[in-house]
Amino acid sequence: MTDLTPAADAEARILDWLLARNPELQAIPDDMDLIENRVIDSLDFMEFVFLLEEVTGRSNLLDGVSVDAFRSLAAIRSTFLAG
Amino acid sequence: MLQTSTVPASPGVLAQPAFARAIDRLSQLSVDGYYNPYRSFDWPDAIDADSWWMSPELLSVSGTEAGAELDEDTLRRLAKWESINFYSLNVHGIRELLQAVIARLHEPGYEVASKFFHHFVGEENDHMWFFAEFCMRYAGKLYPDRQVRIETATDPAIENFLTFARITIFEEIVDFYNTAMGSDERLDPAIRKINHVHHVDESRHIAFGRKLMVLLHDELRAKGDEALLDKVSEYLRRYMTASVRGFYSPDVYRDAGIAEPLALRRRLMADPARAAFDAKVLRRTTDFMTATGILRPVREAA
């Protein structure tokens, strides 16, 4: 069992996923540009979107959303995890 | 995913006599095999909903524990939607590769290759049409392109090589499925035919793509940068993995009436039977790229 709220739990899973794919990183600051810094690249992107769909319980997250919505943890939080 | 670019090839890289002879031979085969796709297919009014639309051994659940839990009705529904996903992946992949090839038509460095590019573009347009036609006639939709393009600036020689490597890998993956379904008597004749016709055309495109890939890789090799060659090899391994993952589609599982499609996807991708199957799909490609030195041994991080 976890004591985290659903949003915090989702965020923790996202962070774990990103860190697992980027073992050279110790942490990912909220405002780090995930694309510029190649924390996510084109080949990872589909898997990342499926992870987001899983943790948010929403499907087709790419519909009507620009790549900027995935650009930082802060952007992901406000676009997909808030309320 | 395939990306487009308009960077020229280095002068002379594709001007070798052996390549020119191959282009002449492949171009002649295209001329000899020319057909009108709009008149070549007898589209039935409907395809039996209870029949196999895709060879059951090719389904993404085949050989897995999760697949064994599905009843036959679900598997047949899955076959229908996995076939639509397969043709949708073809349509999106072809659109991308057409953009890449058209961007290079008559660009400096591609003078020899351009002769075949015209056949390639015409034939790929035909393929895109008949795959989309199948989806729209019998399912009323295409699955959307799930790939996201993130443009990154790179060396023109790397970009040219990777463009044609991605195209050839994509075609070889697709051809594995076409070859199996083109002769599978359990499938509707219309399904067999689009797979067979595509396989015949793709055999020329793959031969062309392999030759181009090797020449463009020679150009990269001439830089003498071993770390770069390792990086390119690693990228191609990741590209192949990402490509076959497109066959594990939550959208498909949802349409087939399967609960928790994302959980099924995760479970399938963790099943050793699927790793073995995906390796089989990619074997012809990985064998070729290993034999030519394009794929290099994976080195452990220091």
Side-chain angles (χ1 to χ4, degrees), chain A residues 35 38 40-47 49-50 53-54 59-60 62 67, chain B residues 1 146 148 150 152 235 238-239 242 245-246 250-251 254 262 265-266 269:
Chain A
I35 292 167
R38 294 177 180 254
I40 312 170
D41 67 9
S42 292
L43 299 182
D44 281 333
F45 214 91
M46 187 171 71
E47 294 305 316
V49 171
F50 286 144
E53 291 190 0
E54 195 162 3
S59 57
N60 301 318
L62 283 177
V67 76
Chain B
M1 185 203 65
R146 285 286 208 159
V148 173
I150 301 171
T152 49
Y235 171 86
R238 290 185 60 226
Y239 177 76
R245 287 187 170 178
D251 299 330
R254 207 169 281 122
L262 285 161
R265 182 176 192 271
R266 198 158 23 87
M269 291 200 317

PDB file of all heavy atoms in Angstrom, chain A residues 35 38 40-47 49-50 53-54 59-60 62 67, chain B residues 1 146 148 150 152 235 238-239 242 245-246 250-251 254 262 265-266 269:
ATOM      1  N   ILE A  35      12.851  17.078 -23.436  1.00  0.00           N
ATOM      2  CA  ILE A  35      13.131  16.793 -24.844  1.00  0.00           C
ATOM      3  C   ILE A  35      14.499  17.347 -25.239  1.00  0.00           C
ATOM      4  O   ILE A  35      15.327  16.631 -25.789  1.00  0.00           O
ATOM      5  CB  ILE A  35      11.991  17.340 -25.721  1.00  0.00           C
ATOM      6  CG1 ILE A  35      10.731  16.494 -25.437  1.00  0.00           C
ATOM      7  CG2 ILE A  35      12.351  17.289 -27.203  1.00  0.00           C
ATOM      8  CD1 ILE A  35       9.452  17.049 -25.965  1.00  0.00           C
ATOM      9  N   ARG A  38      17.094  15.319 -23.918  1.00  0.00           N
ATOM     10  CA  ARG A  38      16.997  13.931 -24.409  1.00  0.00           C
ATOM     11  C   ARG A  38      16.684  12.927 -23.299  1.00  0.00           C
ATOM     12  O   ARG A  38      17.136  11.772 -23.339  1.00  0.00           O
ATOM     13  CB  ARG A  38      18.277  13.525 -25.133  1.00  0.00           C
ATOM     14  CG  ARG A  38      18.480  14.332 -26.409  1.00  0.00           C
ATOM     15  CD  ARG A  38      19.777  13.973 -27.079  1.00  0.00           C
ATOM     16  NE  ARG A  38      19.933  14.770 -28.288  1.00  0.00           N
ATOM     17  CZ  ARG A  38      19.787  14.288 -29.520  1.00  0.00           C
ATOM     18  NH1 ARG A  38      19.477  13.051 -29.705  1.00  0.00           N
ATOM     19  NH2 ARG A  38      19.942  15.067 -30.565  1.00  0.00           N
ATOM     20  N   ILE A  40      13.647  12.107 -22.857  1.00  0.00           N
ATOM     21  CA  ILE A  40      12.726  11.337 -23.709  1.00  0.00           C
ATOM     22  C   ILE A  40      13.101  11.675 -25.149  1.00  0.00           C
ATOM     23  O   ILE A  40      13.309  12.845 -25.458  1.00  0.00           O
ATOM     24  CB  ILE A  40      11.256  11.786 -23.555  1.00  0.00           C
ATOM     25  CG1 ILE A  40      10.843  11.913 -22.097  1.00  0.00           C
ATOM     26  CG2 ILE A  40      10.314  10.841 -24.288  1.00  0.00           C
ATOM     27  CD1 ILE A  40       9.481  12.576 -21.933  1.00  0.00           C
ATOM     28  N   ASP A  41      13.159  10.673 -26.001  1.00  0.00           N
ATOM     29  CA  ASP A  41      13.345  10.971 -27.423  1.00  0.00           C
ATOM     30  C   ASP A  41      12.216  10.347 -28.233  1.00  0.00           C
ATOM     31  O   ASP A  41      11.293   9.748 -27.670  1.00  0.00           O
ATOM     32  CB  ASP A  41      14.737  10.540 -27.917  1.00  0.00           C
ATOM     33  CG  ASP A  41      14.928   9.026 -27.923  1.00  0.00           C
ATOM     34  OD1 ASP A  41      13.931   8.291 -27.718  1.00  0.00           O
ATOM     35  OD2 ASP A  41      16.065   8.576 -28.125  1.00  0.00           O
ATOM     36  N   SER A  42      12.297  10.497 -29.552  1.00  0.00           N
ATOM     37  CA  SER A  42      11.210  10.010 -30.417  1.00  0.00           C
ATOM     38  C   SER A  42      10.916   8.532 -30.184  1.00  0.00           C
ATOM     39  O   SER A  42       9.761   8.110 -30.223  1.00  0.00           O
ATOM     40  CB  SER A  42      11.594  10.187 -31.886  1.00  0.00           C
ATOM     41  OG  SER A  42      11.653  11.542 -32.215  1.00  0.00           O
ATOM     42  N   LEU A  43      11.975   7.759 -29.963  1.00  0.00           N
ATOM     43  CA  LEU A  43      11.781   6.316 -29.850  1.00  0.00           C
ATOM     44  C   LEU A  43      11.135   5.923 -28.528  1.00  0.00           C
ATOM     45  O   LEU A  43      10.525   4.867 -28.425  1.00  0.00           O
ATOM     46  CB  LEU A  43      13.126   5.589 -30.021  1.00  0.00           C
ATOM     47  CG  LEU A  43      13.810   5.797 -31.375  1.00  0.00           C
ATOM     48  CD1 LEU A  43      15.105   4.993 -31.450  1.00  0.00           C
ATOM     49  CD2 LEU A  43      12.897   5.411 -32.521  1.00  0.00           C
ATOM     50  N   ASP A  44      11.286   6.763 -27.523  1.00  0.00           N
ATOM     51  CA  ASP A  44      10.667   6.485 -26.220  1.00  0.00           C
ATOM     52  C   ASP A  44       9.239   7.006 -26.140  1.00  0.00           C
ATOM     53  O   ASP A  44       8.488   6.642 -25.238  1.00  0.00           O
ATOM     54  CB  ASP A  44      11.421   7.238 -25.097  1.00  0.00           C
ATOM     55  CG  ASP A  44      12.692   6.538 -24.699  1.00  0.00           C
ATOM     56  OD1 ASP A  44      12.761   5.319 -24.854  1.00  0.00           O
ATOM     57  OD2 ASP A  44      13.605   7.239 -24.226  1.00  0.00           O
ATOM     58  N   PHE A  45       8.923   7.919 -27.039  1.00  0.00           N
ATOM     59  CA  PHE A  45       7.743   8.738 -26.805  1.00  0.00           C
ATOM     60  C   PHE A  45       6.446   7.928 -26.693  1.00  0.00           C
ATOM     61  O   PHE A  45       5.616   8.165 -25.817  1.00  0.00           O
ATOM     62  CB  PHE A  45       7.614   9.795 -27.908  1.00  0.00           C
ATOM     63  CG  PHE A  45       7.041  11.067 -27.376  1.00  0.00           C
ATOM     64  CD1 PHE A  45       7.871  12.062 -26.909  1.00  0.00           C
ATOM     65  CD2 PHE A  45       5.685  11.242 -27.286  1.00  0.00           C
ATOM     66  CE1 PHE A  45       7.349  13.227 -26.365  1.00  0.00           C
ATOM     67  CE2 PHE A  45       5.145  12.403 -26.746  1.00  0.00           C
ATOM     68  CZ  PHE A  45       5.991  13.393 -26.299  1.00  0.00           C
ATOM     69  N   MET A  46       6.269   6.973 -27.587  1.00  0.00           N
ATOM     70  CA  MET A  46       5.021   6.205 -27.567  1.00  0.00           C
ATOM     71  C   MET A  46       4.881   5.464 -26.230  1.00  0.00           C
ATOM     72  O   MET A  46       3.808   5.448 -25.627  1.00  0.00           O
ATOM     73  CB  MET A  46       4.985   5.223 -28.729  1.00  0.00           C
ATOM     74  CG  MET A  46       3.662   4.517 -28.877  1.00  0.00           C
ATOM     75  SD  MET A  46       3.569   3.558 -30.396  1.00  0.00           S
ATOM     76  CE  MET A  46       4.695   2.218 -30.041  1.00  0.00           C
ATOM     77  N   GLU A  47       6.001   4.876 -25.771  1.00  0.00           N
ATOM     78  CA  GLU A  47       5.942   4.167 -24.491  1.00  0.00           C
ATOM     79  C   GLU A  47       5.604   5.127 -23.353  1.00  0.00           C
ATOM     80  O   GLU A  47       4.876   4.792 -22.427  1.00  0.00           O
ATOM     81  CB  GLU A  47       7.280   3.479 -24.199  1.00  0.00           C
ATOM     82  CG  GLU A  47       7.634   2.371 -25.156  1.00  0.00           C
ATOM     83  CD  GLU A  47       6.555   1.308 -25.256  1.00  0.00           C
ATOM     84  OE1 GLU A  47       6.018   0.903 -24.203  1.00  0.00           O
ATOM     85  OE2 GLU A  47       6.238   0.904 -26.385  1.00  0.00           O
ATOM     86  N   VAL A  49       3.872   7.896 -23.560  1.00  0.00           N
ATOM     87  CA  VAL A  49       2.449   8.265 -23.635  1.00  0.00           C
ATOM     88  C   VAL A  49       1.582   7.137 -23.069  1.00  0.00           C
ATOM     89  O   VAL A  49       0.629   7.391 -22.325  1.00  0.00           O
ATOM     90  CB  VAL A  49       2.048   8.605 -25.092  1.00  0.00           C
ATOM     91  CG1 VAL A  49       0.535   8.766 -25.212  1.00  0.00           C
ATOM     92  CG2 VAL A  49       2.756   9.875 -25.556  1.00  0.00           C
ATOM     93  N   PHE A  50       1.940   5.888 -23.368  1.00  0.00           N
ATOM     94  CA  PHE A  50       1.166   4.768 -22.811  1.00  0.00           C
ATOM     95  C   PHE A  50       1.283   4.723 -21.285  1.00  0.00           C
ATOM     96  O   PHE A  50       0.326   4.414 -20.591  1.00  0.00           O
ATOM     97  CB  PHE A  50       1.616   3.441 -23.421  1.00  0.00           C
ATOM     98  CG  PHE A  50       1.144   3.246 -24.842  1.00  0.00           C
ATOM     99  CD1 PHE A  50       1.939   2.607 -25.774  1.00  0.00           C
ATOM    100  CD2 PHE A  50      -0.102   3.708 -25.250  1.00  0.00           C
ATOM    101  CE1 PHE A  50       1.509   2.423 -27.083  1.00  0.00           C
ATOM    102  CE2 PHE A  50      -0.547   3.531 -26.560  1.00  0.00           C
ATOM    103  CZ  PHE A  50       0.268   2.891 -27.479  1.00  0.00           C
ATOM    104  N   GLU A  53      -1.017   7.309 -20.033  1.00  0.00           N
ATOM    105  CA  GLU A  53      -2.412   6.868 -20.149  1.00  0.00           C
ATOM    106  C   GLU A  53      -2.745   5.900 -19.013  1.00  0.00           C
ATOM    107  O   GLU A  53      -3.836   5.927 -18.452  1.00  0.00           O
ATOM    108  CB  GLU A  53      -2.656   6.215 -21.513  1.00  0.00           C
ATOM    109  CG  GLU A  53      -2.585   7.233 -22.649  1.00  0.00           C
ATOM    110  CD  GLU A  53      -3.047   6.695 -24.006  1.00  0.00           C
ATOM    111  OE1 GLU A  53      -3.425   5.511 -24.084  1.00  0.00           O
ATOM    112  OE2 GLU A  53      -3.033   7.479 -24.971  1.00  0.00           O
ATOM    113  N   GLU A  54      -1.774   5.082 -18.680  1.00  0.00           N
ATOM    114  CA  GLU A  54      -2.012   4.107 -17.619  1.00  0.00           C
ATOM    115  C   GLU A  54      -2.149   4.789 -16.252  1.00  0.00           C
ATOM    116  O   GLU A  54      -3.062   4.486 -15.492  1.00  0.00           O
ATOM    117  CB  GLU A  54      -0.873   3.081 -17.609  1.00  0.00           C
ATOM    118  CG  GLU A  54      -1.220   1.856 -16.814  1.00  0.00           C
ATOM    119  CD  GLU A  54      -0.321   0.669 -17.143  1.00  0.00           C
ATOM    120  OE1 GLU A  54       0.614   0.816 -17.950  1.00  0.00           O
ATOM    121  OE2 GLU A  54      -0.553  -0.400 -16.571  1.00  0.00           O
ATOM    122  N   SER A  59      -7.397   7.800 -22.068  1.00  0.00           N
ATOM    123  CA  SER A  59      -6.836   7.285 -23.314  1.00  0.00           C
ATOM    124  C   SER A  59      -6.678   8.407 -24.333  1.00  0.00           C
ATOM    125  O   SER A  59      -7.231   9.503 -24.169  1.00  0.00           O
ATOM    126  CB  SER A  59      -7.707   6.161 -23.880  1.00  0.00           C
ATOM    127  OG  SER A  59      -9.013   6.625 -24.070  1.00  0.00           O
ATOM    128  N   ASN A  60      -5.925   8.109 -25.382  1.00  0.00           N
ATOM    129  CA  ASN A  60      -5.704   9.059 -26.480  1.00  0.00           C
ATOM    130  C   ASN A  60      -5.211  10.422 -25.999  1.00  0.00           C
ATOM    131  O   ASN A  60      -5.744  11.470 -26.388  1.00  0.00           O
ATOM    132  CB  ASN A  60      -6.977   9.211 -27.311  1.00  0.00           C
ATOM    133  CG  ASN A  60      -7.407   7.879 -27.891  1.00  0.00           C
ATOM    134  OD1 ASN A  60      -6.553   7.110 -28.363  1.00  0.00           O
ATOM    135  ND2 ASN A  60      -8.680   7.576 -27.823  1.00  0.00           N
ATOM    136  N   LEU A  62      -2.680  11.982 -26.774  1.00  0.00           N
ATOM    137  CA  LEU A  62      -2.019  12.825 -27.781  1.00  0.00           C
ATOM    138  C   LEU A  62      -3.012  13.703 -28.539  1.00  0.00           C
ATOM    139  O   LEU A  62      -2.609  14.680 -29.172  1.00  0.00           O
ATOM    140  CB  LEU A  62      -1.266  11.949 -28.791  1.00  0.00           C
ATOM    141  CG  LEU A  62       0.060  11.366 -28.330  1.00  0.00           C
ATOM    142  CD1 LEU A  62       0.652  10.475 -29.412  1.00  0.00           C
ATOM    143  CD2 LEU A  62       1.049  12.470 -27.976  1.00  0.00           C
ATOM    144  N   VAL A  67       3.458  18.788 -28.333  1.00  0.00           N
ATOM    145  CA  VAL A  67       4.571  18.117 -27.672  1.00  0.00           C
ATOM    146  C   VAL A  67       5.031  18.906 -26.435  1.00  0.00           C
ATOM    147  O   VAL A  67       5.606  18.342 -25.498  1.00  0.00           O
ATOM    148  CB  VAL A  67       5.708  17.881 -28.694  1.00  0.00           C
ATOM    149  CG1 VAL A  67       6.469  19.142 -28.985  1.00  0.00           C
ATOM    150  CG2 VAL A  67       6.640  16.767 -28.260  1.00  0.00           C
TER     151      VAL A  67
ATOM    152  N   MET B   1       9.454   5.137 -36.375  1.00  0.00           N
ATOM    153  CA  MET B   1       9.171   6.457 -36.924  1.00  0.00           C
ATOM    154  C   MET B   1      10.221   6.823 -37.970  1.00  0.00           C
ATOM    155  O   MET B   1      11.388   6.533 -37.825  1.00  0.00           O
ATOM    156  CB  MET B   1       9.196   7.485 -35.800  1.00  0.00           C
ATOM    157  CG  MET B   1       8.798   8.855 -36.265  1.00  0.00           C
ATOM    158  SD  MET B   1       9.445  10.122 -35.181  1.00  0.00           S
ATOM    159  CE  MET B   1      11.176   9.920 -35.426  1.00  0.00           C
ATOM    160  N   ARG B 146       0.533   6.957 -33.882  1.00  0.00           N
ATOM    161  CA  ARG B 146       0.882   7.181 -32.470  1.00  0.00           C
ATOM    162  C   ARG B 146       2.297   7.736 -32.305  1.00  0.00           C
ATOM    163  O   ARG B 146       2.728   8.015 -31.190  1.00  0.00           O
ATOM    164  CB  ARG B 146       0.800   5.862 -31.701  1.00  0.00           C
ATOM    165  CG  ARG B 146      -0.591   5.387 -31.400  1.00  0.00           C
ATOM    166  CD  ARG B 146      -1.183   6.235 -30.310  1.00  0.00           C
ATOM    167  NE  ARG B 146      -2.177   5.523 -29.535  1.00  0.00           N
ATOM    168  CZ  ARG B 146      -2.544   5.879 -28.309  1.00  0.00           C
ATOM    169  NH1 ARG B 146      -1.967   6.905 -27.732  1.00  0.00           N
ATOM    170  NH2 ARG B 146      -3.458   5.214 -27.672  1.00  0.00           N
ATOM    171  N   VAL B 148       5.421  10.244 -32.428  1.00  0.00           N
ATOM    172  CA  VAL B 148       5.634  11.683 -32.296  1.00  0.00           C
ATOM    173  C   VAL B 148       7.027  11.998 -32.822  1.00  0.00           C
ATOM    174  O   VAL B 148       7.996  11.350 -32.449  1.00  0.00           O
ATOM    175  CB  VAL B 148       5.525  12.123 -30.825  1.00  0.00           C
ATOM    176  CG1 VAL B 148       5.924  13.583 -30.668  1.00  0.00           C
ATOM    177  CG2 VAL B 148       4.116  11.911 -30.327  1.00  0.00           C
ATOM    178  N   ILE B 150      10.203  14.158 -33.025  1.00  0.00           N
ATOM    179  CA  ILE B 150      10.961  15.202 -32.343  1.00  0.00           C
ATOM    180  C   ILE B 150      12.185  15.450 -33.206  1.00  0.00           C
ATOM    181  O   ILE B 150      13.056  14.586 -33.313  1.00  0.00           O
ATOM    182  CB  ILE B 150      11.373  14.767 -30.927  1.00  0.00           C
ATOM    183  CG1 ILE B 150      10.123  14.427 -30.099  1.00  0.00           C
ATOM    184  CG2 ILE B 150      12.182  15.863 -30.255  1.00  0.00           C
ATOM    185  CD1 ILE B 150      10.431  13.789 -28.762  1.00  0.00           C
ATOM    186  N   THR B 152      15.654  16.581 -34.449  1.00  0.00           N
ATOM    187  CA  THR B 152      16.950  16.904 -33.856  1.00  0.00           C
ATOM    188  C   THR B 152      17.950  17.134 -34.983  1.00  0.00           C
ATOM    189  O   THR B 152      18.002  16.350 -35.926  1.00  0.00           O
ATOM    190  CB  THR B 152      17.459  15.753 -32.961  1.00  0.00           C
ATOM    191  OG1 THR B 152      17.346  14.537 -33.685  1.00  0.00           O
ATOM    192  CG2 THR B 152      16.668  15.650 -31.676  1.00  0.00           C
ATOM    193  N   TYR B 235      21.227   3.139 -31.839  1.00  0.00           N
ATOM    194  CA  TYR B 235      19.983   3.791 -32.242  1.00  0.00           C
ATOM    195  C   TYR B 235      19.126   2.824 -33.071  1.00  0.00           C
ATOM    196  O   TYR B 235      17.906   2.718 -32.878  1.00  0.00           O
ATOM    197  CB  TYR B 235      20.278   5.064 -33.049  1.00  0.00           C
ATOM    198  CG  TYR B 235      19.023   5.643 -33.677  1.00  0.00           C
ATOM    199  CD1 TYR B 235      18.195   6.511 -32.971  1.00  0.00           C
ATOM    200  CD2 TYR B 235      18.645   5.271 -34.965  1.00  0.00           C
ATOM    201  CE1 TYR B 235      17.033   6.998 -33.536  1.00  0.00           C
ATOM    202  CE2 TYR B 235      17.479   5.751 -35.536  1.00  0.00           C
ATOM    203  CZ  TYR B 235      16.679   6.614 -34.822  1.00  0.00           C
ATOM    204  OH  TYR B 235      15.508   7.083 -35.386  1.00  0.00           O
ATOM    205  N   ARG B 238      17.392   0.284 -31.020  1.00  0.00           N
ATOM    206  CA  ARG B 238      16.231   0.888 -30.335  1.00  0.00           C
ATOM    207  C   ARG B 238      15.099   1.146 -31.323  1.00  0.00           C
ATOM    208  O   ARG B 238      13.923   0.990 -31.000  1.00  0.00           O
ATOM    209  CB  ARG B 238      16.645   2.206 -29.657  1.00  0.00           C
ATOM    210  CG  ARG B 238      17.553   2.006 -28.449  1.00  0.00           C
ATOM    211  CD  ARG B 238      17.811   3.348 -27.750  1.00  0.00           C
ATOM    212  NE  ARG B 238      16.584   3.944 -27.287  1.00  0.00           N
ATOM    213  CZ  ARG B 238      16.241   5.220 -27.450  1.00  0.00           C
ATOM    214  NH1 ARG B 238      17.050   6.048 -28.071  1.00  0.00           N
ATOM    215  NH2 ARG B 238      15.110   5.682 -27.002  1.00  0.00           N
ATOM    216  N   TYR B 239      15.454   1.552 -32.539  1.00  0.00           N
ATOM    217  CA  TYR B 239      14.430   1.823 -33.554  1.00  0.00           C
ATOM    218  C   TYR B 239      13.648   0.545 -33.883  1.00  0.00           C
ATOM    219  O   TYR B 239      12.418   0.562 -34.010  1.00  0.00           O
ATOM    220  CB  TYR B 239      15.074   2.389 -34.828  1.00  0.00           C
ATOM    221  CG  TYR B 239      14.062   2.612 -35.921  1.00  0.00           C
ATOM    222  CD1 TYR B 239      13.196   3.699 -35.877  1.00  0.00           C
ATOM    223  CD2 TYR B 239      13.928   1.713 -36.980  1.00  0.00           C
ATOM    224  CE1 TYR B 239      12.236   3.887 -36.852  1.00  0.00           C
ATOM    225  CE2 TYR B 239      12.974   1.895 -37.955  1.00  0.00           C
ATOM    226  CZ  TYR B 239      12.127   2.981 -37.894  1.00  0.00           C
ATOM    227  OH  TYR B 239      11.172   3.147 -38.852  1.00  0.00           O
ATOM    228  N   ALA B 242      11.306  -0.207 -30.991  1.00  0.00           N
ATOM    229  CA  ALA B 242      10.164   0.716 -30.997  1.00  0.00           C
ATOM    230  C   ALA B 242       9.199   0.360 -32.131  1.00  0.00           C
ATOM    231  O   ALA B 242       7.979   0.450 -31.975  1.00  0.00           O
ATOM    232  CB  ALA B 242      10.658   2.155 -31.147  1.00  0.00           C
ATOM    233  N   ARG B 245       6.972  -2.618 -31.409  1.00  0.00           N
ATOM    234  CA  ARG B 245       6.009  -2.333 -30.333  1.00  0.00           C
ATOM    235  C   ARG B 245       4.719  -1.713 -30.854  1.00  0.00           C
ATOM    236  O   ARG B 245       3.703  -1.702 -30.175  1.00  0.00           O
ATOM    237  CB  ARG B 245       6.657  -1.446 -29.270  1.00  0.00           C
ATOM    238  CG  ARG B 245       7.640  -2.251 -28.461  1.00  0.00           C
ATOM    239  CD  ARG B 245       8.209  -1.518 -27.300  1.00  0.00           C
ATOM    240  NE  ARG B 245       8.953  -2.463 -26.471  1.00  0.00           N
ATOM    241  CZ  ARG B 245       9.606  -2.136 -25.379  1.00  0.00           C
ATOM    242  NH1 ARG B 245       9.617  -0.883 -24.974  1.00  0.00           N
ATOM    243  NH2 ARG B 245      10.248  -3.044 -24.688  1.00  0.00           N
ATOM    244  N   GLY B 246       4.776  -1.182 -32.071  1.00  0.00           N
ATOM    245  CA  GLY B 246       3.559  -0.647 -32.680  1.00  0.00           C
ATOM    246  C   GLY B 246       2.503  -1.721 -32.915  1.00  0.00           C
ATOM    247  O   GLY B 246       1.318  -1.413 -33.098  1.00  0.00           O
ATOM    248  N   PRO B 250      -2.993  -0.759 -27.610  1.00  0.00           N
ATOM    249  CA  PRO B 250      -4.140  -0.700 -26.698  1.00  0.00           C
ATOM    250  C   PRO B 250      -5.425  -0.326 -27.429  1.00  0.00           C
ATOM    251  O   PRO B 250      -6.511  -0.765 -27.043  1.00  0.00           O
ATOM    252  CB  PRO B 250      -3.765   0.407 -25.702  1.00  0.00           C
ATOM    253  CG  PRO B 250      -2.321   0.639 -25.880  1.00  0.00           C
ATOM    254  CD  PRO B 250      -1.940   0.185 -27.245  1.00  0.00           C
ATOM    255  N   ASP B 251      -5.312   0.465 -28.491  1.00  0.00           N
ATOM    256  CA  ASP B 251      -6.511   0.835 -29.259  1.00  0.00           C
ATOM    257  C   ASP B 251      -7.159  -0.417 -29.857  1.00  0.00           C
ATOM    258  O   ASP B 251      -8.379  -0.563 -29.884  1.00  0.00           O
ATOM    259  CB  ASP B 251      -6.143   1.791 -30.406  1.00  0.00           C
ATOM    260  CG  ASP B 251      -5.524   3.084 -29.892  1.00  0.00           C
ATOM    261  OD1 ASP B 251      -5.870   3.500 -28.771  1.00  0.00           O
ATOM    262  OD2 ASP B 251      -4.688   3.669 -30.604  1.00  0.00           O
ATOM    263  N   ARG B 254      -8.752  -2.550 -27.125  1.00  0.00           N
ATOM    264  CA  ARG B 254     -10.015  -1.910 -26.724  1.00  0.00           C
ATOM    265  C   ARG B 254     -11.104  -2.274 -27.732  1.00  0.00           C
ATOM    266  O   ARG B 254     -12.209  -2.660 -27.352  1.00  0.00           O
ATOM    267  CB  ARG B 254      -9.785  -0.382 -26.675  1.00  0.00           C
ATOM    268  CG  ARG B 254     -10.685   0.354 -25.717  1.00  0.00           C
ATOM    269  CD  ARG B 254     -10.210   1.805 -25.546  1.00  0.00           C
ATOM    270  NE  ARG B 254      -9.081   1.937 -24.649  1.00  0.00           N
ATOM    271  CZ  ARG B 254      -7.896   2.466 -24.968  1.00  0.00           C
ATOM    272  NH1 ARG B 254      -7.671   2.939 -26.182  1.00  0.00           N
ATOM    273  NH2 ARG B 254      -6.923   2.535 -24.081  1.00  0.00           N
ATOM    274  N   LEU B 262      -4.186  -1.518 -21.629  1.00  0.00           N
ATOM    275  CA  LEU B 262      -2.799  -1.141 -21.337  1.00  0.00           C
ATOM    276  C   LEU B 262      -2.107  -2.196 -20.469  1.00  0.00           C
ATOM    277  O   LEU B 262      -0.925  -2.480 -20.634  1.00  0.00           O
ATOM    278  CB  LEU B 262      -2.753   0.218 -20.643  1.00  0.00           C
ATOM    279  CG  LEU B 262      -3.011   1.418 -21.561  1.00  0.00           C
ATOM    280  CD1 LEU B 262      -3.397   2.640 -20.750  1.00  0.00           C
ATOM    281  CD2 LEU B 262      -1.778   1.716 -22.413  1.00  0.00           C
ATOM    282  N   ARG B 265      -1.166  -4.991 -22.721  1.00  0.00           N
ATOM    283  CA  ARG B 265       0.027  -4.637 -23.504  1.00  0.00           C
ATOM    284  C   ARG B 265       1.303  -4.861 -22.671  1.00  0.00           C
ATOM    285  O   ARG B 265       2.269  -5.446 -23.125  1.00  0.00           O
ATOM    286  CB  ARG B 265      -0.074  -3.176 -23.955  1.00  0.00           C
ATOM    287  CG  ARG B 265       1.097  -2.736 -24.807  1.00  0.00           C
ATOM    288  CD  ARG B 265       0.886  -1.315 -25.302  1.00  0.00           C
ATOM    289  NE  ARG B 265       1.852  -0.985 -26.329  1.00  0.00           N
ATOM    290  CZ  ARG B 265       3.047  -0.469 -26.091  1.00  0.00           C
ATOM    291  NH1 ARG B 265       3.432  -0.232 -24.852  1.00  0.00           N
ATOM    292  NH2 ARG B 265       3.870  -0.206 -27.092  1.00  0.00           N
ATOM    293  N   ARG B 266       1.257  -4.364 -21.433  1.00  0.00           N
ATOM    294  CA  ARG B 266       2.425  -4.497 -20.554  1.00  0.00           C
ATOM    295  C   ARG B 266       2.742  -5.985 -20.315  1.00  0.00           C
ATOM    296  O   ARG B 266       3.890  -6.407 -20.342  1.00  0.00           O
ATOM    297  CB  ARG B 266       2.133  -3.774 -19.240  1.00  0.00           C
ATOM    298  CG  ARG B 266       3.360  -3.454 -18.425  1.00  0.00           C
ATOM    299  CD  ARG B 266       3.170  -2.329 -17.427  1.00  0.00           C
ATOM    300  NE  ARG B 266       1.813  -2.061 -16.999  1.00  0.00           N
ATOM    301  CZ  ARG B 266       1.198  -2.671 -15.993  1.00  0.00           C
ATOM    302  NH1 ARG B 266       1.797  -3.631 -15.316  1.00  0.00           N
ATOM    303  NH2 ARG B 266      -0.033  -2.326 -15.632  1.00  0.00           N
ATOM    304  N   MET B 269       4.277  -7.605 -23.454  1.00  0.00           N
ATOM    305  CA  MET B 269       5.657  -7.203 -23.742  1.00  0.00           C
ATOM    306  C   MET B 269       6.637  -7.815 -22.742  1.00  0.00           C
ATOM    307  O   MET B 269       7.827  -7.889 -23.025  1.00  0.00           O
ATOM    308  CB  MET B 269       5.754  -5.687 -23.795  1.00  0.00           C
ATOM    309  CG  MET B 269       5.007  -5.173 -25.032  1.00  0.00           C
ATOM    310  SD  MET B 269       5.457  -3.532 -25.557  1.00  0.00           S
ATOM    311  CE  MET B 269       5.534  -2.680 -24.043  1.00  0.00           C
TER     312      MET B 269
END
